[in-house]
């Protein structure tokens, strides 16, 4: 019998329930409106998204893991999630191991510009090599947020610039408090 040369063998699913669960990992130092936009878009694809703050991002963060988690919790109230469950968590160690432990079949990452692509592709392929059962799903944020990063938001804010509309008001308030603390 003739078989098609185009046969694909995707890895079996991580969990055998119909629940579609994804991890949205990141530093979230702090969460921006770009992150929230990606979460809202992810809600159209998944039943549950675990927003997972990396414990040791290898950078010196402005906010502690606990503060970053709190800001996410506060900000998620403004996300149109529909029936999608949103869970905030933090993790240490290998992302794909954490994803499997949590029964997630996908990792969501936002891509803003071509410049993000190379780094994201490297991570996605390395993650796939470690754990073929977990797929990476790239999502494009709204154009309005295509230049927004936590790093630039912090830099502009520290230099006295406006970050209005780029982060939720509660995050801006925490940044103001943090800078006042310093
Ligand atoms: O928001 P960020 O800083 O771009 O997120 C990077 C993150 C957290 C996704 C990445 O650093 C990560 O996955 N860290 C966990 C450790 C790990 O699994 N490293 C191998 C990645 S291929």
């Amino acid at each position: 019998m003739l078989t098609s040369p185009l046969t694909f063998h995707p890895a079996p699913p991580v969990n055998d329930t119909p629940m579609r669960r994804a991890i949205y990992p990141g530093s979230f130092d702090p969460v921006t409106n770009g992150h929230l936009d990606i979460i809202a878009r992810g809600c159209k694809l998944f039943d549950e998204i675990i927003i997972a703050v990396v414990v040791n991002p290898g950078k010196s963060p402005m906010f502690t893991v606990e503060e970053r988690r709190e800001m996410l919790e506060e900000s998620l109230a403004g996300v149109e999630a529909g029936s999608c469950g949103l869970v905030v968590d933090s993790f240490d160690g290998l992302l794909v191991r954490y994803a499997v432990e949590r029964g997630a079949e996908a990792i969501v990452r936002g891509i803003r510009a071509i410049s993000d692509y190379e780094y994201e592709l490297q991570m996605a392929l390395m993650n796939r090599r470690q754990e073929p059962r977990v797929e990476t799903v790239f999502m494009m944020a709204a154009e309005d947020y295509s230049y927004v990063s936590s790093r630039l938001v912090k830099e502009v804010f520290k230099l006295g610039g406006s970050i209005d509309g780029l982060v939720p008001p509660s995050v801006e308030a925490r940044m103001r408090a943090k800078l006042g603390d310093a």
Side-chain angles (χ1 to χ4, degrees):
M1 195 178 87
L2 245 169
T3 54
S4 160
L6 287 176
T7 47
F8 298 99
H9 302 283
V14 165
N15 72 50
D16 49 13
T17 68
M19 158 78 97
R20 309 224 99 177
R21 184 182 288 124
I23 305 284
Y24 181 34
S27 304
F28 303 108
D29 183 44
V31 59
T32 68
N33 286 345
H35 292 128
L36 299 177
D37 181 75
I38 293 291
I39 294 168
R41 287 171 200 283
C43 281
K44 293 193 258 176
L45 301 181
F46 297 101
D47 300 313
E48 183 178 288
I49 301 179
I50 302 172
I51 301 113
V53 178
V54 66
V55 167
N56 184 6
K59 311 165 188 171
S60 42
M62 183 176 200
F63 293 99
T64 65
V65 171
E66 202 40 55
E67 288 169 331
R68 284 181 269 155
R69 287 180 60 150
E70 283 167 11
M71 284 185 285
L72 276 163
E73 298 275 10
E74 289 159 9
S75 308
L76 289 180
V79 171
E80 267 184 45
S83 60
C84 174
L86 296 176
V87 177
V88 176
D89 194 15
S90 48
F91 74 103
D92 205 355
L94 210 53
L95 170 60
V96 285
R97 193 169 299 145
Y98 169 75
V100 171
E101 276 166 18
R102 296 301 308 258
E105 60 190 316
I107 293 167
V108 168
R109 292 286 290 170
I111 290 211
R112 291 161 299 195
I114 293 286
S115 49
D116 283 339
Y117 179 74
E118 204 170 340
Y119 168 62
E120 294 296 336
L121 179 69
Q122 276 183 352
M123 283 208 297
L125 294 181
M126 182 59 88
N127 283 334
R128 181 188 285 164
R129 188 172 193 277
Q130 305 301 316
E131 181 45 83
R133 291 176 296 169
V134 177
E135 293 290 346
T136 297
V137 175
F138 291 131
M139 307 206 70
M140 269 52 82
E143 299 91 286
D144 287 357
Y145 305 122
S146 60
Y147 58 91
V148 179
S149 69
S150 301
R151 185 183 63 79
L152 272 186
V153 161
K154 284 183 286 191
E155 186 175 321
V156 167
F157 187 77
K158 280 179 187 165
L159 296 172
S162 166
I163 55 165
D164 190 33
L166 305 183
V167 295
S170 62
V171 169
E172 186 170 347
R174 280 190 184 246
M175 290 176 76
R176 184 155 291 120
K178 182 69 80 173
L179 223 65
D181 287 353

